[in-house]
Amino acid sequence: MRGRPNLYINYKKETAILSTNTQKIWFVFMIVFSIAMVFIATDYWILLLTTAFLIAVASWGLNIVSGFAGQISLAHGVFVGIGTYTGAVLGGVATDYVVGYELDMIIWLPLSGLFASLLGLLIAPIAVRLKGLNLGLVTLALVFIGSHLFSNLKTFTGGAGLGRKTAKVVLFGFQFDDGFNIGNVILEKNQLLYLFSLLVCILCGLGVKNITRSKTGRAYSAIRDRDIAAEAIGINLFKFKSSAFALSSFYAGIAGSLLFTVSGGVEPGTFNLLYSITFVAIVIIGGVGTVLGPLFGALFFSLLPGTIQTVIHSLENFGQGFALSSGQIERVIFGLFIIIFLIFEPRGLWGIWFRLRNYFKAWPFSY
Amino acid sequence: MNNLVFENVSLKFGGITAINNVSFEVIPGRLFAIIGPNGAGKTSIFNCISGIYRPTEGQIKFGDNHLNLLRPDEIANLGIARTFQNIELFENMTVLDNILIGAHRHLDYGPISSLIFSKKVRNIEVEARKRAEDIIDFLEIEQFRYSYIMSLPYGVQKRVELGRALAMDPEILLLDEPAAGMNNEETEDIARFIIDIHEEMKKTIILVDHDMNMVMDIAQEVMVLNFGEKLAQDEPKKIVTNEKVINAYLGGGS
């Protein structure tokens, strides 16, 4: 088979996650590059990248339920919140006004996902009866119920305005706070958390890819495209819509429980409507219903503040600053990008990447 | 192998009676055709069988199963596959995926196994792919394997829908106007596929179509409907000479 390296010779090879050598090389390269970032990047960028990886995990969750299974969910942020607080209660330190059990991460991380997915299952019966925007409205109601509960269940969340500390990151008795020495290089908490988030992100990403290449992913797409035909083929709508919501919330829960350990504290007001909408925006900008899209979207969303600040700082050298703060500029630009993508590139960043890739695949022959 | 039995089935939408007290039986291995003018209730009968509509009165039995008590997916899992009059394929998926999804009920693993994609799942997927390729081969749609449904011509889409139903490996295949909107050549192709499915794959087929040449050629038994009522049920030869059928549908010779 020399000379035809990309020829599939069996179905096993074709269904593989990385089916060509180019993909394998890039995959390994990206992982090595991401790990190398620990030693190269400044703390600020490490922080942004860690959030990006975790937000990618949460966005993958939303993409499963909305992108693949076609069920609009505006309440994704609530499930992220549920994951955050499950993690914080199980792994956090108790104080006078909040509970905390100081458990190991190996316990609270899966449980945060599982608890969120249990609550996700509760929406599933509604999703079986409602479609499209009506379902969207119901999930919208969930956002308000969620923020109300988060603000008022003070023993768990610390209450509005105050908040609480998140889970302590302790894995198998190893404290992330202590840092880790490799030779004479010391990896601090941020860097360890970055590496751990990278691992979680890779595992969750592989999970999404696995879903798309299996029966479950096909059933989701079938439900999205034509639910009546899907049912006539033998797909149990209740079962698959439920599993879509459960999986989606599981991802949200996992991401949520880790997301705020980066800063160490969380305030209930975070999980408002805007927070949930952000995930919708990330999925749209990244590429709805694609595997890599949410990762692109999350990187874009998280790295935007850093980029804008860098640009503004360099502009300030010219004397006058802007009338808007960098936070405001960031929001304006982000909003602008949503509009631009919806109009010009509905397939999102993934669509751009797809066209670029195909261009270079055929290069220098454009046809 | 199970008999499909209609016992005094009626279907009413408010004041409109779509099916009026229709009884018939399809024995295994038959190629059974249902014909009749527009609005006669042919598709309504299909929708009752596959559980999309619930009959207002009467019983539909498939072996020992009462179909009027089951959900569409449960009915499909008994081995009743159907195609639709207006193609109901999944447009945002490839031909291959559409056919693979037909095999959904035969792939025995759940969502969590999908997430992990264990060796067992991979083997099941590879097996499913082999069977899907057989169907693609049978329907002669190899060159469209990786094409998205929305980019395909109508005739090919009809074939893919037949393939999706075949992938379910059903006992009974309900074909709702498989030759609608086709030219002579395409109709011949479809007729050939239907005969092959019936004779080689030994499937029971219930066929609805307006192409009288094709129906009379290939069907073993024909039932004629008019305004939701059953006019006649007989061999094709006798149907063509049936007085009532000629008046209602076929039209008299000059």
Side-chain angles (χ1 to χ4, degrees), chain A residues 266-311:
Chain A
V266 59
E267 199 269 320
T270 315
F271 306 104
N272 54 12
L273 180 61
L274 190 67
Y275 193 67
S276 291
I277 299 286
T278 309
F279 287 107
V280 178
I282 289 171
V283 171
I284 289 174
I285 288 183
V288 187
T290 60
V291 177
L292 284 176
L295 179 64
F296 293 159
L299 283 170
F300 179 82
F301 169 76
S302 308
L303 302 186
L304 192 66
T307 319
I308 289 172
Q309 283 201 350
T310 317
V311 172

mmCIF file of all heavy atoms in Angstrom, chain A residues 266-311:
data_model
loop_
_atom_site.group_PDB
_atom_site.id
_atom_site.type_symbol
_atom_site.label_atom_id
_atom_site.label_comp_id
_atom_site.label_asym_id
_atom_site.label_seq_id
_atom_site.Cartn_x
_atom_site.Cartn_y
_atom_site.Cartn_z
ATOM 1 N N VAL A 266 -16.686 31.277 44.362
ATOM 2 C CA VAL A 266 -17.769 31.458 43.405
ATOM 3 C C VAL A 266 -18.949 32.133 44.084
ATOM 4 O O VAL A 266 -19.249 31.895 45.255
ATOM 5 C CB VAL A 266 -18.183 30.099 42.783
ATOM 6 C CG1 VAL A 266 -18.627 29.112 43.830
ATOM 7 C CG2 VAL A 266 -19.239 30.277 41.727
ATOM 8 N N GLU A 267 -19.611 33.002 43.299
ATOM 9 C CA GLU A 267 -20.730 33.777 43.826
ATOM 10 C C GLU A 267 -21.979 33.354 43.051
ATOM 11 O O GLU A 267 -21.915 33.193 41.823
ATOM 12 C CB GLU A 267 -20.419 35.265 43.616
ATOM 13 C CG GLU A 267 -21.205 36.229 44.455
ATOM 14 C CD GLU A 267 -22.466 36.687 43.762
ATOM 15 O OE1 GLU A 267 -22.420 36.921 42.543
ATOM 16 O OE2 GLU A 267 -23.496 36.783 44.446
ATOM 17 N N PRO A 268 -23.118 33.121 43.715
ATOM 18 C CA PRO A 268 -24.301 32.578 43.038
ATOM 19 C C PRO A 268 -24.791 33.422 41.859
ATOM 20 O O PRO A 268 -25.370 32.890 40.920
ATOM 21 C CB PRO A 268 -25.362 32.546 44.135
ATOM 22 C CG PRO A 268 -24.619 32.554 45.403
ATOM 23 C CD PRO A 268 -23.353 33.284 45.168
ATOM 24 N N GLY A 269 -24.541 34.742 41.916
ATOM 25 C CA GLY A 269 -25.003 35.624 40.840
ATOM 26 C C GLY A 269 -24.370 35.284 39.498
ATOM 27 O O GLY A 269 -24.864 35.688 38.440
ATOM 28 N N THR A 270 -23.280 34.515 39.510
ATOM 29 C CA THR A 270 -22.599 34.142 38.264
ATOM 30 C C THR A 270 -23.528 33.388 37.322
ATOM 31 O O THR A 270 -23.514 33.588 36.115
ATOM 32 C CB THR A 270 -21.409 33.209 38.581
ATOM 33 O OG1 THR A 270 -20.705 33.757 39.681
ATOM 34 C CG2 THR A 270 -20.499 33.056 37.394
ATOM 35 N N PHE A 271 -24.365 32.522 37.918
ATOM 36 C CA PHE A 271 -25.153 31.608 37.081
ATOM 37 C C PHE A 271 -26.477 32.241 36.669
ATOM 38 O O PHE A 271 -27.547 31.726 36.948
ATOM 39 C CB PHE A 271 -25.375 30.290 37.826
ATOM 40 C CG PHE A 271 -24.095 29.690 38.288
ATOM 41 C CD1 PHE A 271 -23.723 29.753 39.617
ATOM 42 C CD2 PHE A 271 -23.227 29.098 37.385
ATOM 43 C CE1 PHE A 271 -22.525 29.216 40.041
ATOM 44 C CE2 PHE A 271 -22.018 28.563 37.796
ATOM 45 C CZ PHE A 271 -21.667 28.626 39.129
ATOM 46 N N ASN A 272 -26.384 33.376 36.002
ATOM 47 C CA ASN A 272 -27.609 34.050 35.557
ATOM 48 C C ASN A 272 -27.905 33.690 34.105
ATOM 49 O O ASN A 272 -27.240 32.836 33.521
ATOM 50 C CB ASN A 272 -27.460 35.558 35.750
ATOM 51 C CG ASN A 272 -26.209 36.085 35.064
ATOM 52 O OD1 ASN A 272 -25.582 35.383 34.274
ATOM 53 N ND2 ASN A 272 -25.836 37.300 35.374
ATOM 54 N N LEU A 273 -28.892 34.376 33.554
ATOM 55 C CA LEU A 273 -29.303 34.080 32.178
ATOM 56 C C LEU A 273 -28.155 34.291 31.197
ATOM 57 O O LEU A 273 -27.906 33.481 30.310
ATOM 58 C CB LEU A 273 -30.506 34.961 31.818
ATOM 59 C CG LEU A 273 -31.046 34.775 30.413
ATOM 60 C CD1 LEU A 273 -31.525 33.356 30.204
ATOM 61 C CD2 LEU A 273 -32.186 35.753 30.155
ATOM 62 N N LEU A 274 -27.420 35.409 31.415
ATOM 63 C CA LEU A 274 -26.328 35.735 30.503
ATOM 64 C C LEU A 274 -25.302 34.603 30.440
ATOM 65 O O LEU A 274 -24.759 34.280 29.377
ATOM 66 C CB LEU A 274 -25.643 37.023 30.980
ATOM 67 C CG LEU A 274 -24.643 37.622 29.989
ATOM 68 C CD1 LEU A 274 -25.364 38.129 28.758
ATOM 69 C CD2 LEU A 274 -23.852 38.742 30.632
ATOM 70 N N TYR A 275 -25.069 33.988 31.600
ATOM 71 C CA TYR A 275 -24.090 32.904 31.675
ATOM 72 C C TYR A 275 -24.525 31.729 30.795
ATOM 73 O O TYR A 275 -23.720 31.148 30.063
ATOM 74 C CB TYR A 275 -23.943 32.467 33.131
ATOM 75 C CG TYR A 275 -22.758 31.577 33.384
ATOM 76 C CD1 TYR A 275 -21.466 32.061 33.255
ATOM 77 C CD2 TYR A 275 -22.941 30.256 33.772
ATOM 78 C CE1 TYR A 275 -20.372 31.250 33.496
ATOM 79 C CE2 TYR A 275 -21.855 29.438 34.017
ATOM 80 C CZ TYR A 275 -20.572 29.939 33.876
ATOM 81 O OH TYR A 275 -19.496 29.133 34.107
ATOM 82 N N SER A 276 -25.822 31.395 30.870
ATOM 83 C CA SER A 276 -26.337 30.294 30.049
ATOM 84 C C SER A 276 -26.260 30.638 28.572
ATOM 85 O O SER A 276 -25.916 29.805 27.733
ATOM 86 C CB SER A 276 -27.780 29.979 30.424
ATOM 87 O OG SER A 276 -27.827 29.408 31.701
ATOM 88 N N ILE A 277 -26.607 31.904 28.261
ATOM 89 C CA ILE A 277 -26.603 32.333 26.864
ATOM 90 C C ILE A 277 -25.178 32.283 26.300
ATOM 91 O O ILE A 277 -24.975 31.979 25.127
ATOM 92 C CB ILE A 277 -27.180 33.762 26.722
ATOM 93 C CG1 ILE A 277 -28.624 33.797 27.207
ATOM 94 C CG2 ILE A 277 -27.091 34.240 25.283
ATOM 95 C CD1 ILE A 277 -29.630 33.173 26.322
ATOM 96 N N THR A 278 -24.200 32.584 27.166
ATOM 97 C CA THR A 278 -22.805 32.545 26.716
ATOM 98 C C THR A 278 -22.469 31.202 26.081
ATOM 99 O O THR A 278 -21.812 31.147 25.041
ATOM 100 C CB THR A 278 -21.863 32.787 27.914
ATOM 101 O OG1 THR A 278 -22.291 33.952 28.590
ATOM 102 C CG2 THR A 278 -20.436 32.965 27.434
ATOM 103 N N PHE A 279 -22.958 30.128 26.700
ATOM 104 C CA PHE A 279 -22.647 28.804 26.153
ATOM 105 C C PHE A 279 -23.302 28.618 24.780
ATOM 106 O O PHE A 279 -22.706 28.030 23.888
ATOM 107 C CB PHE A 279 -23.095 27.703 27.114
ATOM 108 C CG PHE A 279 -22.221 27.612 28.323
ATOM 109 C CD1 PHE A 279 -22.661 28.049 29.556
ATOM 110 C CD2 PHE A 279 -20.933 27.114 28.221
ATOM 111 C CE1 PHE A 279 -21.845 27.985 30.666
ATOM 112 C CE2 PHE A 279 -20.102 27.049 29.323
ATOM 113 C CZ PHE A 279 -20.563 27.494 30.558
ATOM 114 N N VAL A 280 -24.531 29.134 24.648
ATOM 115 C CA VAL A 280 -25.185 29.069 23.336
ATOM 116 C C VAL A 280 -24.321 29.803 22.310
ATOM 117 O O VAL A 280 -24.066 29.293 21.211
ATOM 118 C CB VAL A 280 -26.600 29.693 23.400
ATOM 119 C CG1 VAL A 280 -27.245 29.661 22.031
ATOM 120 C CG2 VAL A 280 -27.457 28.957 24.415
ATOM 121 N N ALA A 281 -23.837 30.983 22.710
ATOM 122 C CA ALA A 281 -23.011 31.784 21.794
ATOM 123 C C ALA A 281 -21.727 31.053 21.428
ATOM 124 O O ALA A 281 -21.324 31.045 20.265
ATOM 125 C CB ALA A 281 -22.691 33.126 22.443
ATOM 126 N N ILE A 282 -21.104 30.425 22.421
ATOM 127 C CA ILE A 282 -19.850 29.713 22.154
ATOM 128 C C ILE A 282 -20.071 28.592 21.149
ATOM 129 O O ILE A 282 -19.300 28.412 20.205
ATOM 130 C CB ILE A 282 -19.266 29.140 23.465
ATOM 131 C CG1 ILE A 282 -18.744 30.271 24.327
ATOM 132 C CG2 ILE A 282 -18.161 28.133 23.181
ATOM 133 C CD1 ILE A 282 -18.338 29.846 25.717
ATOM 134 N N VAL A 283 -21.182 27.866 21.326
ATOM 135 C CA VAL A 283 -21.456 26.761 20.413
ATOM 136 C C VAL A 283 -21.739 27.293 19.007
ATOM 137 O O VAL A 283 -21.267 26.727 18.012
ATOM 138 C CB VAL A 283 -22.626 25.901 20.934
ATOM 139 C CG1 VAL A 283 -23.066 24.897 19.890
ATOM 140 C CG2 VAL A 283 -22.210 25.169 22.197
ATOM 141 N N ILE A 284 -22.465 28.418 18.921
ATOM 142 C CA ILE A 284 -22.763 28.975 17.595
ATOM 143 C C ILE A 284 -21.488 29.471 16.926
ATOM 144 O O ILE A 284 -21.227 29.188 15.754
ATOM 145 C CB ILE A 284 -23.801 30.111 17.706
ATOM 146 C CG1 ILE A 284 -25.166 29.522 18.064
ATOM 147 C CG2 ILE A 284 -23.887 30.899 16.406
ATOM 148 C CD1 ILE A 284 -26.215 30.553 18.345
ATOM 149 N N ILE A 285 -20.663 30.201 17.680
ATOM 150 C CA ILE A 285 -19.425 30.722 17.095
ATOM 151 C C ILE A 285 -18.491 29.578 16.713
ATOM 152 O O ILE A 285 -17.832 29.602 15.673
ATOM 153 C CB ILE A 285 -18.729 31.687 18.081
ATOM 154 C CG1 ILE A 285 -19.522 32.986 18.149
ATOM 155 C CG2 ILE A 285 -17.292 31.961 17.660
ATOM 156 C CD1 ILE A 285 -18.910 34.024 19.031
ATOM 157 N N GLY A 286 -18.456 28.554 17.539
ATOM 158 C CA GLY A 286 -17.549 27.442 17.267
ATOM 159 C C GLY A 286 -18.027 26.575 16.122
ATOM 160 O O GLY A 286 -17.232 26.161 15.285
ATOM 161 N N GLY A 287 -19.326 26.316 16.065
ATOM 162 C CA GLY A 287 -19.867 25.441 15.021
ATOM 163 C C GLY A 287 -20.841 24.452 15.625
ATOM 164 O O GLY A 287 -20.429 23.521 16.302
ATOM 165 N N VAL A 288 -22.133 24.680 15.347
ATOM 166 C CA VAL A 288 -23.168 23.825 15.932
ATOM 167 C C VAL A 288 -23.087 22.417 15.356
ATOM 168 O O VAL A 288 -22.905 22.247 14.155
ATOM 169 C CB VAL A 288 -24.568 24.405 15.643
ATOM 170 C CG1 VAL A 288 -25.637 23.622 16.387
ATOM 171 C CG2 VAL A 288 -24.619 25.854 16.040
ATOM 172 N N GLY A 289 -23.207 21.424 16.216
ATOM 173 C CA GLY A 289 -23.279 20.047 15.740
ATOM 174 C C GLY A 289 -21.973 19.498 15.189
ATOM 175 O O GLY A 289 -21.977 18.559 14.422
ATOM 176 N N THR A 290 -20.855 20.098 15.562
ATOM 177 C CA THR A 290 -19.569 19.546 15.153
ATOM 178 C C THR A 290 -18.805 19.131 16.409
ATOM 179 O O THR A 290 -19.125 19.562 17.504
ATOM 180 C CB THR A 290 -18.726 20.578 14.393
ATOM 181 O OG1 THR A 290 -18.490 21.691 15.258
ATOM 182 C CG2 THR A 290 -19.431 21.050 13.147
ATOM 183 N N VAL A 291 -17.788 18.292 16.229
ATOM 184 C CA VAL A 291 -17.048 17.816 17.399
ATOM 185 C C VAL A 291 -16.055 18.869 17.876
ATOM 186 O O VAL A 291 -15.965 19.184 19.051
ATOM 187 C CB VAL A 291 -16.317 16.503 17.077
ATOM 188 C CG1 VAL A 291 -15.498 16.051 18.263
ATOM 189 C CG2 VAL A 291 -17.322 15.432 16.707
ATOM 190 N N LEU A 292 -15.310 19.451 16.930
ATOM 191 C CA LEU A 292 -14.271 20.397 17.319
ATOM 192 C C LEU A 292 -14.802 21.804 17.557
ATOM 193 O O LEU A 292 -14.176 22.596 18.248
ATOM 194 C CB LEU A 292 -13.177 20.442 16.240
ATOM 195 C CG LEU A 292 -12.225 19.250 16.235
ATOM 196 C CD1 LEU A 292 -11.256 19.371 15.074
ATOM 197 C CD2 LEU A 292 -11.464 19.175 17.545
ATOM 198 N N GLY A 293 -15.981 22.101 17.004
ATOM 199 C CA GLY A 293 -16.533 23.450 17.085
ATOM 200 C C GLY A 293 -16.526 24.050 18.481
ATOM 201 O O GLY A 293 -15.960 25.119 18.698
ATOM 202 N N PRO A 294 -17.144 23.360 19.464
ATOM 203 C CA PRO A 294 -17.190 23.936 20.811
ATOM 204 C C PRO A 294 -15.812 24.228 21.388
ATOM 205 O O PRO A 294 -15.649 25.201 22.129
ATOM 206 C CB PRO A 294 -17.906 22.862 21.627
ATOM 207 C CG PRO A 294 -18.752 22.164 20.638
ATOM 208 C CD PRO A 294 -17.974 22.158 19.368
ATOM 209 N N LEU A 295 -14.820 23.421 21.036
ATOM 210 C CA LEU A 295 -13.459 23.686 21.515
ATOM 211 C C LEU A 295 -12.939 24.987 20.911
ATOM 212 O O LEU A 295 -12.414 25.844 21.621
ATOM 213 C CB LEU A 295 -12.539 22.519 21.141
ATOM 214 C CG LEU A 295 -11.077 22.658 21.561
ATOM 215 C CD1 LEU A 295 -10.943 22.698 23.066
ATOM 216 C CD2 LEU A 295 -10.245 21.513 21.005
ATOM 217 N N PHE A 296 -13.139 25.148 19.599
ATOM 218 C CA PHE A 296 -12.743 26.403 18.951
ATOM 219 C C PHE A 296 -13.447 27.579 19.603
ATOM 220 O O PHE A 296 -12.846 28.602 19.901
ATOM 221 C CB PHE A 296 -13.088 26.372 17.449
ATOM 222 C CG PHE A 296 -12.287 25.389 16.652
ATOM 223 C CD1 PHE A 296 -12.759 24.928 15.427
ATOM 224 C CD2 PHE A 296 -11.071 24.919 17.101
ATOM 225 C CE1 PHE A 296 -12.033 24.028 14.673
ATOM 226 C CE2 PHE A 296 -10.336 24.015 16.363
ATOM 227 C CZ PHE A 296 -10.821 23.568 15.142
ATOM 228 N N GLY A 297 -14.771 27.418 19.798
ATOM 229 C CA GLY A 297 -15.572 28.498 20.374
ATOM 230 C C GLY A 297 -15.087 28.864 21.761
ATOM 231 O O GLY A 297 -14.968 30.038 22.105
ATOM 232 N N ALA A 298 -14.786 27.834 22.561
ATOM 233 C CA ALA A 298 -14.357 28.088 23.936
ATOM 234 C C ALA A 298 -13.005 28.782 23.960
ATOM 235 O O ALA A 298 -12.781 29.711 24.741
ATOM 236 C CB ALA A 298 -14.295 26.775 24.709
ATOM 237 N N LEU A 299 -12.100 28.343 23.092
ATOM 238 C CA LEU A 299 -10.785 28.995 23.023
ATOM 239 C C LEU A 299 -10.951 30.458 22.613
ATOM 240 O O LEU A 299 -10.357 31.361 23.203
ATOM 241 C CB LEU A 299 -9.882 28.275 22.009
ATOM 242 C CG LEU A 299 -9.273 26.963 22.496
ATOM 243 C CD1 LEU A 299 -8.612 26.230 21.350
ATOM 244 C CD2 LEU A 299 -8.277 27.219 23.616
ATOM 245 N N PHE A 300 -11.788 30.664 21.626
ATOM 246 C CA PHE A 300 -12.046 32.017 21.139
ATOM 247 C C PHE A 300 -12.594 32.893 22.257
ATOM 248 O O PHE A 300 -12.106 33.987 22.525
ATOM 249 C CB PHE A 300 -13.047 31.936 19.976
ATOM 250 C CG PHE A 300 -13.423 33.259 19.400
ATOM 251 C CD1 PHE A 300 -12.615 33.876 18.469
ATOM 252 C CD2 PHE A 300 -14.594 33.888 19.782
ATOM 253 C CE1 PHE A 300 -12.960 35.097 17.937
ATOM 254 C CE2 PHE A 300 -14.947 35.111 19.255
ATOM 255 C CZ PHE A 300 -14.126 35.711 18.332
ATOM 256 N N PHE A 301 -13.620 32.363 22.949
ATOM 257 C CA PHE A 301 -14.288 33.128 23.995
ATOM 258 C C PHE A 301 -13.336 33.435 25.149
ATOM 259 O O PHE A 301 -13.334 34.524 25.703
ATOM 260 C CB PHE A 301 -15.495 32.347 24.508
ATOM 261 C CG PHE A 301 -16.110 32.917 25.756
ATOM 262 C CD1 PHE A 301 -16.890 34.054 25.690
ATOM 263 C CD2 PHE A 301 -15.906 32.317 26.988
ATOM 264 C CE1 PHE A 301 -17.452 34.590 26.838
ATOM 265 C CE2 PHE A 301 -16.468 32.837 28.135
ATOM 266 C CZ PHE A 301 -17.237 33.983 28.065
ATOM 267 N N SER A 302 -12.509 32.460 25.520
ATOM 268 C CA SER A 302 -11.667 32.649 26.698
ATOM 269 C C SER A 302 -10.426 33.464 26.400
ATOM 270 O O SER A 302 -9.931 34.188 27.256
ATOM 271 C CB SER A 302 -11.244 31.301 27.270
ATOM 272 O OG SER A 302 -12.369 30.501 27.456
ATOM 273 N N LEU A 303 -9.915 33.324 25.185
ATOM 274 C CA LEU A 303 -8.673 34.021 24.872
ATOM 275 C C LEU A 303 -8.922 35.442 24.390
ATOM 276 O O LEU A 303 -8.002 36.252 24.320
ATOM 277 C CB LEU A 303 -7.856 33.237 23.833
ATOM 278 C CG LEU A 303 -7.499 31.813 24.254
ATOM 279 C CD1 LEU A 303 -6.576 31.176 23.240
ATOM 280 C CD2 LEU A 303 -6.848 31.796 25.632
ATOM 281 N N LEU A 304 -10.188 35.746 24.058
ATOM 282 C CA LEU A 304 -10.517 37.087 23.572
ATOM 283 C C LEU A 304 -10.118 38.178 24.571
ATOM 284 O O LEU A 304 -9.476 39.158 24.178
ATOM 285 C CB LEU A 304 -12.014 37.152 23.239
ATOM 286 C CG LEU A 304 -12.469 38.376 22.456
ATOM 287 C CD1 LEU A 304 -11.851 38.362 21.074
ATOM 288 C CD2 LEU A 304 -13.983 38.396 22.346
ATOM 289 N N PRO A 305 -10.463 38.041 25.876
ATOM 290 C CA PRO A 305 -10.100 39.099 26.832
ATOM 291 C C PRO A 305 -8.602 39.363 26.845
ATOM 292 O O PRO A 305 -8.171 40.515 26.840
ATOM 293 C CB PRO A 305 -10.548 38.545 28.185
ATOM 294 C CG PRO A 305 -11.466 37.454 27.895
ATOM 295 C CD PRO A 305 -11.175 36.947 26.536
ATOM 296 N N GLY A 306 -7.815 38.295 26.844
ATOM 297 C CA GLY A 306 -6.369 38.447 26.876
ATOM 298 C C GLY A 306 -5.859 39.193 25.658
ATOM 299 O O GLY A 306 -5.053 40.119 25.762
ATOM 300 N N THR A 307 -6.383 38.786 24.497
ATOM 301 C CA THR A 307 -5.964 39.421 23.250
ATOM 302 C C THR A 307 -6.317 40.903 23.250
ATOM 303 O O THR A 307 -5.489 41.752 22.905
ATOM 304 C CB THR A 307 -6.653 38.727 22.062
ATOM 305 O OG1 THR A 307 -6.647 37.333 22.304
ATOM 306 C CG2 THR A 307 -5.951 39.024 20.771
ATOM 307 N N ILE A 308 -7.568 41.191 23.663
ATOM 308 C CA ILE A 308 -8.005 42.586 23.653
ATOM 309 C C ILE A 308 -7.156 43.429 24.597
ATOM 310 O O ILE A 308 -6.729 44.529 24.243
ATOM 311 C CB ILE A 308 -9.496 42.670 24.030
ATOM 312 C CG1 ILE A 308 -10.335 42.119 22.892
ATOM 313 C CG2 ILE A 308 -9.898 44.106 24.313
ATOM 314 C CD1 ILE A 308 -11.789 41.985 23.223
ATOM 315 N N GLN A 309 -6.874 42.873 25.769
ATOM 316 C CA GLN A 309 -6.065 43.634 26.724
ATOM 317 C C GLN A 309 -4.681 43.904 26.182
ATOM 318 O O GLN A 309 -4.158 45.015 26.311
ATOM 319 C CB GLN A 309 -5.980 42.876 28.032
ATOM 320 C CG GLN A 309 -7.269 43.020 28.814
ATOM 321 C CD GLN A 309 -7.078 42.746 30.280
ATOM 322 O OE1 GLN A 309 -6.026 42.270 30.688
ATOM 323 N NE2 GLN A 309 -8.092 43.047 31.061
ATOM 324 N N THR A 310 -4.111 42.885 25.548
ATOM 325 C CA THR A 310 -2.783 43.075 24.977
ATOM 326 C C THR A 310 -2.814 44.192 23.942
ATOM 327 O O THR A 310 -1.948 45.073 23.916
ATOM 328 C CB THR A 310 -2.299 41.771 24.317
ATOM 329 O OG1 THR A 310 -2.625 40.696 25.178
ATOM 330 C CG2 THR A 310 -0.812 41.786 24.078
ATOM 331 N N VAL A 311 -3.853 44.148 23.088
ATOM 332 C CA VAL A 311 -3.971 45.155 22.039
ATOM 333 C C VAL A 311 -4.136 46.537 22.659
ATOM 334 O O VAL A 311 -3.475 47.504 22.264
ATOM 335 C CB VAL A 311 -5.155 44.828 21.107
ATOM 336 C CG1 VAL A 311 -5.405 45.977 20.145
ATOM 337 C CG2 VAL A 311 -4.879 43.544 20.346
#
